[in-house]
Short mmCIF file of all heavy atoms in Angstrom, two decimals:
data_model
loop_
_atom_site.label_atom_id
_atom_site.label_comp_id
_atom_site.label_asym_id
_atom_site.label_seq_id
_atom_site.Cartn_x
_atom_site.Cartn_y
_atom_site.Cartn_z
N ALA B 1 100.50 101.56 107.47
CA ALA B 1 101.44 100.93 106.55
C ALA B 1 102.00 102.02 105.64
O ALA B 1 101.31 102.98 105.31
CB ALA B 1 100.75 99.86 105.73
N ASP B 2 103.24 101.86 105.22
CA ASP B 2 103.86 102.82 104.33
C ASP B 2 103.68 102.37 102.89
O ASP B 2 104.25 101.36 102.47
CB ASP B 2 105.36 102.94 104.62
CG ASP B 2 105.62 103.61 105.95
OD1 ASP B 2 104.83 104.48 106.33
OD2 ASP B 2 106.61 103.25 106.60
N LEU B 3 102.88 103.11 102.14
CA LEU B 3 102.62 102.78 100.74
C LEU B 3 102.97 103.97 99.88
O LEU B 3 102.81 105.11 100.28
CB LEU B 3 101.14 102.44 100.53
CG LEU B 3 100.55 101.30 101.33
CD1 LEU B 3 99.06 101.22 101.04
CD2 LEU B 3 101.21 100.00 101.00
N LYS B 4 103.42 103.69 98.68
CA LYS B 4 103.59 104.76 97.71
C LYS B 4 102.97 104.29 96.40
O LYS B 4 103.07 103.11 96.04
CB LYS B 4 105.07 105.11 97.53
CG LYS B 4 105.94 104.00 96.99
CD LYS B 4 107.37 104.44 96.83
CE LYS B 4 108.20 103.28 96.29
NZ LYS B 4 109.60 103.65 96.09
N PRO B 5 102.26 105.15 95.68
CA PRO B 5 101.60 104.74 94.45
C PRO B 5 102.60 104.26 93.40
O PRO B 5 103.69 104.80 93.28
CB PRO B 5 100.89 105.99 93.97
CG PRO B 5 100.89 106.93 95.11
CD PRO B 5 102.03 106.54 96.01
N ALA B 6 102.22 103.25 92.68
CA ALA B 6 103.02 102.75 91.56
C ALA B 6 102.15 102.90 90.31
O ALA B 6 101.15 103.60 90.32
CB ALA B 6 103.43 101.30 91.79
N ILE B 7 102.50 102.23 89.24
CA ILE B 7 101.72 102.30 88.01
C ILE B 7 100.37 101.62 88.21
O ILE B 7 100.29 100.54 88.78
CB ILE B 7 102.49 101.62 86.86
CG1 ILE B 7 103.79 102.39 86.61
CG2 ILE B 7 101.65 101.55 85.61
CD1 ILE B 7 104.72 101.72 85.66
N GLY B 8 99.31 102.25 87.74
CA GLY B 8 97.98 101.66 87.81
C GLY B 8 97.48 101.57 89.24
O GLY B 8 97.58 102.52 90.00
N LYS B 9 96.96 100.41 89.57
CA LYS B 9 96.36 100.20 90.88
C LYS B 9 97.23 99.31 91.75
O LYS B 9 96.76 98.67 92.66
CB LYS B 9 94.97 99.60 90.70
CG LYS B 9 94.01 100.54 89.99
CD LYS B 9 92.76 99.81 89.58
CE LYS B 9 91.87 100.67 88.74
NZ LYS B 9 92.30 100.80 87.37
N ALA B 10 98.50 99.27 91.48
CA ALA B 10 99.45 98.51 92.29
C ALA B 10 100.21 99.50 93.17
O ALA B 10 100.40 100.65 92.81
CB ALA B 10 100.42 97.73 91.42
N PHE B 11 100.59 99.03 94.36
CA PHE B 11 101.32 99.87 95.30
C PHE B 11 102.58 99.16 95.74
O PHE B 11 102.55 97.99 96.10
CB PHE B 11 100.45 100.18 96.52
CG PHE B 11 99.23 100.99 96.18
CD1 PHE B 11 98.07 100.37 95.76
CD2 PHE B 11 99.26 102.36 96.27
CE1 PHE B 11 96.94 101.11 95.43
CE2 PHE B 11 98.14 103.11 95.95
CZ PHE B 11 96.98 102.48 95.52
N CYS B 12 103.70 99.89 95.69
CA CYS B 12 104.97 99.36 96.18
C CYS B 12 105.08 99.67 97.67
O CYS B 12 104.79 100.80 98.08
CB CYS B 12 106.14 100.02 95.46
SG CYS B 12 106.18 99.71 93.70
N LEU B 13 105.50 98.70 98.43
CA LEU B 13 105.69 98.92 99.86
C LEU B 13 107.05 99.56 100.08
O LEU B 13 108.04 99.13 99.50
CB LEU B 13 105.57 97.59 100.60
CG LEU B 13 104.26 96.84 100.34
CD1 LEU B 13 104.30 95.48 101.02
CD2 LEU B 13 103.07 97.64 100.81
N LYS B 14 107.10 100.59 100.90
CA LYS B 14 108.35 101.31 101.15
C LYS B 14 109.34 100.50 101.95
O LYS B 14 110.53 100.71 101.86
CB LYS B 14 108.07 102.62 101.87
CG LYS B 14 107.41 103.66 101.03
CD LYS B 14 107.26 104.94 101.84
CE LYS B 14 106.65 106.04 101.05
NZ LYS B 14 106.50 107.26 101.86
N LYS B 15 108.84 99.59 102.77
CA LYS B 15 109.74 98.76 103.57
C LYS B 15 109.28 97.31 103.46
O LYS B 15 108.15 97.03 103.08
CB LYS B 15 109.76 99.22 105.02
CG LYS B 15 108.42 99.19 105.71
CD LYS B 15 108.53 99.75 107.13
CE LYS B 15 107.18 99.73 107.81
NZ LYS B 15 107.23 100.29 109.14
N GLU B 16 110.17 96.39 103.80
CA GLU B 16 109.84 94.98 103.70
C GLU B 16 108.78 94.62 104.75
O GLU B 16 108.94 94.90 105.94
CB GLU B 16 111.10 94.13 103.92
CG GLU B 16 110.88 92.69 103.54
CD GLU B 16 112.17 91.91 103.44
OE1 GLU B 16 113.17 92.49 102.98
OE2 GLU B 16 112.16 90.75 103.82
N ILE B 17 107.68 94.05 104.27
CA ILE B 17 106.55 93.71 105.13
C ILE B 17 106.12 92.29 104.81
O ILE B 17 106.22 91.84 103.66
CB ILE B 17 105.38 94.69 104.89
CG1 ILE B 17 105.74 96.08 105.42
CG2 ILE B 17 104.09 94.21 105.54
CD1 ILE B 17 104.69 97.13 105.21
N ASN B 18 105.60 91.60 105.80
CA ASN B 18 105.05 90.26 105.63
C ASN B 18 103.75 90.40 104.82
O ASN B 18 102.72 90.81 105.36
CB ASN B 18 104.80 89.65 107.01
CG ASN B 18 104.19 88.28 106.95
OD1 ASN B 18 103.47 87.92 106.04
ND2 ASN B 18 104.47 87.50 107.97
N LEU B 19 103.80 90.09 103.52
CA LEU B 19 102.64 90.29 102.66
C LEU B 19 101.41 89.50 103.09
O LEU B 19 100.31 90.06 103.09
CB LEU B 19 102.99 89.98 101.20
CG LEU B 19 103.80 91.05 100.48
CD1 LEU B 19 104.11 90.62 99.05
CD2 LEU B 19 103.10 92.38 100.48
N PRO B 20 101.53 88.21 103.45
CA PRO B 20 100.32 87.50 103.90
C PRO B 20 99.66 88.17 105.12
O PRO B 20 98.44 88.25 105.20
CB PRO B 20 100.83 86.10 104.24
CG PRO B 20 102.04 85.92 103.40
CD PRO B 20 102.68 87.30 103.35
N LEU B 21 100.47 88.70 106.03
CA LEU B 21 99.93 89.39 107.19
C LEU B 21 99.23 90.68 106.76
O LEU B 21 98.15 91.01 107.24
CB LEU B 21 101.03 89.69 108.20
CG LEU B 21 100.61 90.47 109.45
CD1 LEU B 21 99.56 89.70 110.25
CD2 LEU B 21 101.82 90.77 110.31
N LEU B 22 99.84 91.42 105.86
CA LEU B 22 99.24 92.66 105.36
C LEU B 22 97.90 92.37 104.69
O LEU B 22 96.91 93.06 104.94
CB LEU B 22 100.19 93.37 104.40
CG LEU B 22 99.68 94.67 103.81
CD1 LEU B 22 99.49 95.72 104.90
CD2 LEU B 22 100.62 95.17 102.74
N VAL B 23 97.86 91.36 103.84
CA VAL B 23 96.62 90.98 103.16
C VAL B 23 95.54 90.64 104.19
O VAL B 23 94.39 91.06 104.07
CB VAL B 23 96.86 89.80 102.18
CG1 VAL B 23 95.55 89.24 101.65
CG2 VAL B 23 97.77 90.25 101.03
N GLU B 24 95.91 89.90 105.24
CA GLU B 24 94.96 89.53 106.29
C GLU B 24 94.46 90.76 107.05
O GLU B 24 93.27 90.86 107.35
CB GLU B 24 95.61 88.53 107.26
CG GLU B 24 94.66 88.00 108.31
CD GLU B 24 93.45 87.27 107.75
OE1 GLU B 24 93.54 86.62 106.70
OE2 GLU B 24 92.38 87.37 108.39
N LYS B 25 95.35 91.70 107.34
CA LYS B 25 94.95 92.92 108.05
C LYS B 25 93.94 93.72 107.23
O LYS B 25 92.97 94.24 107.76
CB LYS B 25 96.17 93.80 108.37
CG LYS B 25 97.09 93.22 109.39
CD LYS B 25 96.48 93.29 110.76
CE LYS B 25 97.47 92.83 111.80
NZ LYS B 25 96.89 92.87 113.14
N PHE B 26 94.18 93.82 105.92
CA PHE B 26 93.22 94.48 105.05
C PHE B 26 91.89 93.72 105.05
O PHE B 26 90.82 94.33 105.13
CB PHE B 26 93.75 94.57 103.62
CG PHE B 26 94.59 95.78 103.35
CD1 PHE B 26 95.94 95.66 103.12
CD2 PHE B 26 94.04 97.04 103.29
CE1 PHE B 26 96.73 96.76 102.84
CE2 PHE B 26 94.80 98.16 103.01
CZ PHE B 26 96.15 98.02 102.79
N LYS B 27 91.95 92.41 104.96
CA LYS B 27 90.73 91.59 104.92
C LYS B 27 89.89 91.79 106.18
O LYS B 27 88.66 91.82 106.12
CB LYS B 27 91.11 90.12 104.75
CG LYS B 27 89.94 89.21 104.50
CD LYS B 27 90.41 87.79 104.23
CE LYS B 27 89.23 86.87 103.97
NZ LYS B 27 89.67 85.50 103.73
N GLU B 28 90.54 91.95 107.33
CA GLU B 28 89.83 92.21 108.59
C GLU B 28 89.01 93.49 108.51
O GLU B 28 88.03 93.66 109.22
CB GLU B 28 90.82 92.30 109.75
CG GLU B 28 91.44 90.98 110.13
CD GLU B 28 92.56 91.12 111.14
OE1 GLU B 28 92.83 92.24 111.63
OE2 GLU B 28 93.19 90.08 111.44
N LYS B 29 89.41 94.41 107.64
CA LYS B 29 88.71 95.68 107.45
C LYS B 29 87.78 95.64 106.23
O LYS B 29 87.30 96.67 105.77
CB LYS B 29 89.72 96.82 107.26
CG LYS B 29 90.67 97.01 108.41
CD LYS B 29 89.93 97.58 109.59
CE LYS B 29 90.94 97.90 110.70
NZ LYS B 29 90.27 98.47 111.86
N ASN B 30 87.57 94.43 105.69
CA ASN B 30 86.74 94.24 104.48
C ASN B 30 87.31 94.96 103.26
O ASN B 30 86.57 95.46 102.42
CB ASN B 30 85.29 94.66 104.72
CG ASN B 30 84.61 93.74 105.70
OD1 ASN B 30 84.76 92.53 105.63
ND2 ASN B 30 83.86 94.32 106.62
N ILE B 31 88.64 95.01 103.19
CA ILE B 31 89.34 95.59 102.05
C ILE B 31 90.15 94.46 101.42
O ILE B 31 91.03 93.89 102.06
CB ILE B 31 90.28 96.73 102.48
CG1 ILE B 31 89.48 97.83 103.19
CG2 ILE B 31 91.05 97.28 101.28
CD1 ILE B 31 90.34 98.86 103.89
N LEU B 32 89.82 94.12 100.19
CA LEU B 32 90.50 93.01 99.53
C LEU B 32 91.67 93.52 98.71
O LEU B 32 91.53 94.41 97.88
CB LEU B 32 89.53 92.24 98.65
CG LEU B 32 88.31 91.67 99.38
CD1 LEU B 32 87.40 90.94 98.40
CD2 LEU B 32 88.72 90.75 100.52
N VAL B 33 92.84 92.96 98.98
CA VAL B 33 94.06 93.26 98.23
C VAL B 33 94.70 91.95 97.83
O VAL B 33 94.44 90.91 98.42
CB VAL B 33 95.06 94.12 99.04
CG1 VAL B 33 94.43 95.42 99.47
CG2 VAL B 33 95.61 93.38 100.23
N VAL B 34 95.53 92.01 96.82
CA VAL B 34 96.20 90.81 96.30
C VAL B 34 97.70 91.08 96.24
O VAL B 34 98.12 92.13 95.75
CB VAL B 34 95.68 90.49 94.88
CG1 VAL B 34 96.36 89.28 94.29
CG2 VAL B 34 94.17 90.31 94.88
N PRO B 35 98.53 90.13 96.74
CA PRO B 35 99.98 90.28 96.52
C PRO B 35 100.24 90.36 95.02
O PRO B 35 99.61 89.66 94.23
CB PRO B 35 100.57 89.01 97.12
CG PRO B 35 99.54 88.51 98.07
CD PRO B 35 98.22 88.91 97.48
N PHE B 36 101.14 91.24 94.63
CA PHE B 36 101.36 91.51 93.21
C PHE B 36 102.85 91.61 92.93
O PHE B 36 103.35 92.60 92.45
CB PHE B 36 100.64 92.82 92.85
CG PHE B 36 100.46 93.07 91.39
CD1 PHE B 36 99.64 92.27 90.62
CD2 PHE B 36 101.09 94.14 90.79
CE1 PHE B 36 99.45 92.53 89.28
CE2 PHE B 36 100.93 94.40 89.44
CZ PHE B 36 100.10 93.60 88.69
N GLY B 37 103.57 90.58 93.30
CA GLY B 37 105.01 90.59 93.14
C GLY B 37 105.68 90.91 94.47
O GLY B 37 105.02 91.13 95.47
N PRO B 38 107.00 90.92 94.48
CA PRO B 38 107.72 91.18 95.73
C PRO B 38 107.43 92.60 96.23
O PRO B 38 107.57 93.56 95.49
CB PRO B 38 109.19 91.00 95.36
CG PRO B 38 109.25 90.90 93.90
CD PRO B 38 107.87 90.70 93.35
N GLN B 39 106.97 92.67 97.46
CA GLN B 39 106.72 93.94 98.14
C GLN B 39 105.74 94.84 97.39
O GLN B 39 105.88 96.07 97.39
CB GLN B 39 108.03 94.67 98.42
CG GLN B 39 108.91 93.94 99.41
CD GLN B 39 108.20 93.55 100.69
OE1 GLN B 39 107.99 92.39 100.92
NE2 GLN B 39 107.81 94.51 101.49
N MET B 40 104.75 94.23 96.73
CA MET B 40 103.71 95.00 96.05
C MET B 40 102.35 94.37 96.35
O MET B 40 102.24 93.17 96.54
CB MET B 40 103.92 95.01 94.54
CG MET B 40 105.12 95.78 94.08
SD MET B 40 105.24 95.83 92.27
CE MET B 40 103.95 96.99 91.87
N ILE B 41 101.33 95.24 96.42
CA ILE B 41 99.96 94.76 96.52
C ILE B 41 99.15 95.43 95.41
O ILE B 41 99.55 96.47 94.87
CB ILE B 41 99.32 95.08 97.88
CG1 ILE B 41 99.35 96.58 98.17
CG2 ILE B 41 99.98 94.28 99.00
CD1 ILE B 41 98.53 96.98 99.39
N ARG B 42 98.03 94.81 95.09
CA ARG B 42 97.16 95.35 94.05
C ARG B 42 95.77 95.54 94.63
O ARG B 42 95.26 94.67 95.34
CB ARG B 42 97.10 94.40 92.85
CG ARG B 42 96.29 94.95 91.71
CD ARG B 42 96.52 94.15 90.44
NE ARG B 42 95.86 94.81 89.33
CZ ARG B 42 94.88 94.26 88.63
NH1 ARG B 42 94.48 93.04 88.90
NH2 ARG B 42 94.32 94.92 87.66
N MET B 43 95.16 96.67 94.32
CA MET B 43 93.79 96.97 94.71
C MET B 43 93.02 97.32 93.45
O MET B 43 93.51 98.07 92.61
CB MET B 43 93.75 98.16 95.67
CG MET B 43 94.52 97.97 96.94
SD MET B 43 94.56 99.52 97.86
CE MET B 43 94.10 98.93 99.45
N VAL B 44 91.83 96.76 93.35
CA VAL B 44 90.99 97.03 92.18
C VAL B 44 89.63 97.51 92.67
O VAL B 44 89.07 96.93 93.60
CB VAL B 44 90.82 95.76 91.32
CG1 VAL B 44 89.93 96.02 90.13
CG2 VAL B 44 92.18 95.24 90.86
N THR B 45 89.13 98.56 92.07
CA THR B 45 87.81 99.05 92.45
C THR B 45 86.75 98.56 91.47
O THR B 45 87.06 98.15 90.36
CB THR B 45 87.78 100.59 92.49
OG1 THR B 45 88.09 101.08 91.20
CG2 THR B 45 88.75 101.13 93.50
N HIS B 46 85.52 98.60 91.90
CA HIS B 46 84.37 98.23 91.09
C HIS B 46 83.67 99.52 90.70
O HIS B 46 83.85 100.57 91.33
CB HIS B 46 83.44 97.32 91.92
CG HIS B 46 82.35 96.73 91.12
ND1 HIS B 46 81.15 97.35 90.95
CD2 HIS B 46 82.28 95.57 90.43
CE1 HIS B 46 80.37 96.60 90.19
NE2 HIS B 46 81.03 95.51 89.87
N LEU B 47 82.84 99.48 89.68
CA LEU B 47 82.12 100.67 89.24
C LEU B 47 81.23 101.26 90.34
O LEU B 47 80.94 102.45 90.33
CB LEU B 47 81.27 100.34 88.01
CG LEU B 47 82.05 99.99 86.75
CD1 LEU B 47 81.09 99.54 85.65
CD2 LEU B 47 82.86 101.18 86.28
N ASP B 48 80.79 100.42 91.27
CA ASP B 48 79.89 100.89 92.34
C ASP B 48 80.62 101.58 93.49
O ASP B 48 79.98 102.07 94.41
CB ASP B 48 79.11 99.70 92.93
CG ASP B 48 78.18 99.05 91.92
OD1 ASP B 48 77.92 99.66 90.87
OD2 ASP B 48 77.71 97.94 92.19
N ILE B 49 81.94 101.66 93.45
CA ILE B 49 82.72 102.26 94.54
C ILE B 49 82.67 103.78 94.41
O ILE B 49 82.96 104.33 93.36
CB ILE B 49 84.18 101.75 94.51
CG1 ILE B 49 84.23 100.24 94.66
CG2 ILE B 49 85.02 102.44 95.57
CD1 ILE B 49 83.69 99.71 95.96
N SER B 50 82.31 104.43 95.50
CA SER B 50 82.21 105.90 95.50
C SER B 50 83.52 106.53 96.00
O SER B 50 84.37 105.86 96.59
CB SER B 50 81.07 106.34 96.40
OG SER B 50 81.37 106.04 97.76
N ASP B 51 83.62 107.83 95.79
CA ASP B 51 84.80 108.56 96.28
C ASP B 51 84.90 108.46 97.80
O ASP B 51 85.99 108.34 98.35
CB ASP B 51 84.74 110.03 95.87
CG ASP B 51 84.99 110.23 94.38
OD1 ASP B 51 85.49 109.30 93.73
OD2 ASP B 51 84.70 111.33 93.89
N SER B 52 83.76 108.50 98.49
CA SER B 52 83.79 108.41 99.95
C SER B 52 84.27 107.04 100.41
O SER B 52 84.94 106.92 101.45
CB SER B 52 82.43 108.74 100.56
OG SER B 52 81.47 107.79 100.20
N MET B 53 83.97 106.00 99.65
CA MET B 53 84.46 104.65 99.99
C MET B 53 85.98 104.60 99.82
O MET B 53 86.67 103.99 100.63
CB MET B 53 83.79 103.59 99.13
CG MET B 53 82.33 103.40 99.42
SD MET B 53 81.62 102.32 98.16
CE MET B 53 80.17 101.75 99.00
N ILE B 54 86.48 105.23 98.78
CA ILE B 54 87.93 105.27 98.57
C ILE B 54 88.60 106.05 99.69
O ILE B 54 89.64 105.65 100.21
CB ILE B 54 88.27 105.85 97.18
CG1 ILE B 54 87.81 104.86 96.11
CG2 ILE B 54 89.77 106.14 97.05
CD1 ILE B 54 87.90 105.36 94.69
N ASP B 55 87.97 107.15 100.10
CA ASP B 55 88.49 107.93 101.24
C ASP B 55 88.55 107.07 102.50
O ASP B 55 89.51 107.14 103.26
CB ASP B 55 87.63 109.17 101.49
CG ASP B 55 87.76 110.21 100.40
OD1 ASP B 55 88.74 110.16 99.62
OD2 ASP B 55 86.87 111.08 100.33
N GLN B 56 87.52 106.25 102.70
CA GLN B 56 87.48 105.37 103.86
C GLN B 56 88.63 104.37 103.82
O GLN B 56 89.28 104.11 104.84
CB GLN B 56 86.14 104.64 103.93
CG GLN B 56 86.00 103.76 105.15
CD GLN B 56 84.64 103.07 105.19
OE1 GLN B 56 83.78 103.29 104.35
NE2 GLN B 56 84.47 102.22 106.18
N VAL B 57 88.90 103.80 102.65
CA VAL B 57 90.02 102.86 102.50
C VAL B 57 91.33 103.57 102.83
O VAL B 57 92.18 103.04 103.54
CB VAL B 57 90.05 102.24 101.09
CG1 VAL B 57 91.35 101.49 100.84
CG2 VAL B 57 88.86 101.31 100.88
N CYS B 58 91.49 104.79 102.33
CA CYS B 58 92.72 105.55 102.60
C CYS B 58 92.90 105.77 104.10
O CYS B 58 94.03 105.64 104.62
CB CYS B 58 92.70 106.88 101.87
SG CYS B 58 92.83 106.72 100.09
N GLU B 59 91.84 106.06 104.81
CA GLU B 59 91.91 106.25 106.27
C GLU B 59 92.29 104.94 106.96
O GLU B 59 93.10 104.95 107.90
CB GLU B 59 90.59 106.78 106.82
CG GLU B 59 90.32 108.22 106.44
CD GLU B 59 91.42 109.17 106.86
OE1 GLU B 59 91.89 109.08 108.02
OE2 GLU B 59 91.83 110.00 106.03
N GLU B 60 91.75 103.83 106.50
CA GLU B 60 92.09 102.53 107.10
C GLU B 60 93.55 102.17 106.84
O GLU B 60 94.23 101.60 107.70
CB GLU B 60 91.16 101.43 106.58
CG GLU B 60 89.73 101.56 107.05
CD GLU B 60 89.56 101.49 108.56
OE1 GLU B 60 90.38 100.85 109.25
OE2 GLU B 60 88.59 102.09 109.06
N VAL B 61 94.06 102.51 105.67
CA VAL B 61 95.47 102.26 105.35
C VAL B 61 96.37 103.02 106.33
O VAL B 61 97.34 102.49 106.86
CB VAL B 61 95.80 102.65 103.90
CG1 VAL B 61 97.30 102.69 103.66
CG2 VAL B 61 95.14 101.68 102.91
N LYS B 62 96.01 104.27 106.61
CA LYS B 62 96.80 105.08 107.55
C LYS B 62 96.84 104.47 108.95
O LYS B 62 97.82 104.63 109.66
CB LYS B 62 96.23 106.49 107.63
CG LYS B 62 96.42 107.30 106.37
CD LYS B 62 95.72 108.65 106.52
CE LYS B 62 95.73 109.41 105.23
NZ LYS B 62 94.99 110.68 105.33
N LYS B 63 95.77 103.76 109.33
CA LYS B 63 95.66 103.18 110.67
C LYS B 63 96.37 101.85 110.82
O LYS B 63 96.61 101.40 111.94
CB LYS B 63 94.20 102.96 111.04
CG LYS B 63 93.39 104.22 111.17
CD LYS B 63 91.95 103.85 111.48
CE LYS B 63 91.01 105.01 111.35
NZ LYS B 63 89.60 104.57 111.56
N LEU B 64 96.70 101.19 109.70
CA LEU B 64 97.30 99.85 109.78
C LEU B 64 98.63 99.87 110.53
O LEU B 64 99.48 100.72 110.28
CB LEU B 64 97.54 99.28 108.39
CG LEU B 64 96.33 98.70 107.67
CD1 LEU B 64 96.74 98.24 106.28
CD2 LEU B 64 95.70 97.58 108.42
N LYS B 65 98.78 98.91 111.42
CA LYS B 65 100.03 98.73 112.16
C LYS B 65 100.54 97.33 111.87
O LYS B 65 99.91 96.35 112.23
CB LYS B 65 99.80 98.89 113.66
CG LYS B 65 99.18 100.20 114.06
CD LYS B 65 100.19 101.32 114.01
CE LYS B 65 99.58 102.57 114.60
NZ LYS B 65 99.81 103.74 113.85
N ILE B 66 101.69 97.25 111.23
CA ILE B 66 102.27 95.94 110.91
C ILE B 66 103.68 95.91 111.42
O ILE B 66 104.42 96.81 111.31
CB ILE B 66 102.25 95.68 109.38
CG1 ILE B 66 100.85 95.79 108.86
CG2 ILE B 66 102.94 94.39 109.06
CD1 ILE B 66 100.20 94.69 108.23
#
């Protein structure tokens, strides 16, 4: 998926994508995201999340095909 960082933990999608489908694709990988306005998603981390877990999420984002 094409993502670019926005303010905070929200990400603007570079192209128009079916948000419910994107949310479901992330959920299949045990990554929870929330629609956050038109063409935006929000990701929030917990204190227990390590740098390696964030790296893993980044790798899964690169693999997404929508």
Side-chain angles (χ1 to χ4, degrees):
D2 290 327
L3 302 176
K4 62 179 180 180
I7 297 171
K9 296 168 187 78
F11 296 86
C12 297
L13 305 175
K14 289 183 178 179
K15 59 183 179 182
E16 193 167 323
I17 291 179
N18 179 330
L19 283 179
L21 178 61
L22 180 64
V23 170
E24 185 60 33
K25 292 287 186 181
F26 273 111
K27 188 175 180 181
E28 289 172 4
K29 301 289 186 179
N30 292 317
I31 301 169
L32 302 179
V33 302
V34 179
F36 195 66
Q39 294 309 111
M40 292 183 74
I41 57 170
R42 183 167 187 242
M43 300 173 132
V44 179
T45 60
H46 189 271
L47 293 174
D48 295 345
I49 301 297
S50 68
D51 288 345
S52 65
M53 292 171 159
I54 292 172
D55 290 342
Q56 183 179 357
V57 169
C58 291
E59 289 304 314
E60 292 299 332
V61 167
K62 291 176 188 177
K63 295 178 192 176
L64 281 178
K65 303 284 188 226
I66 304 241

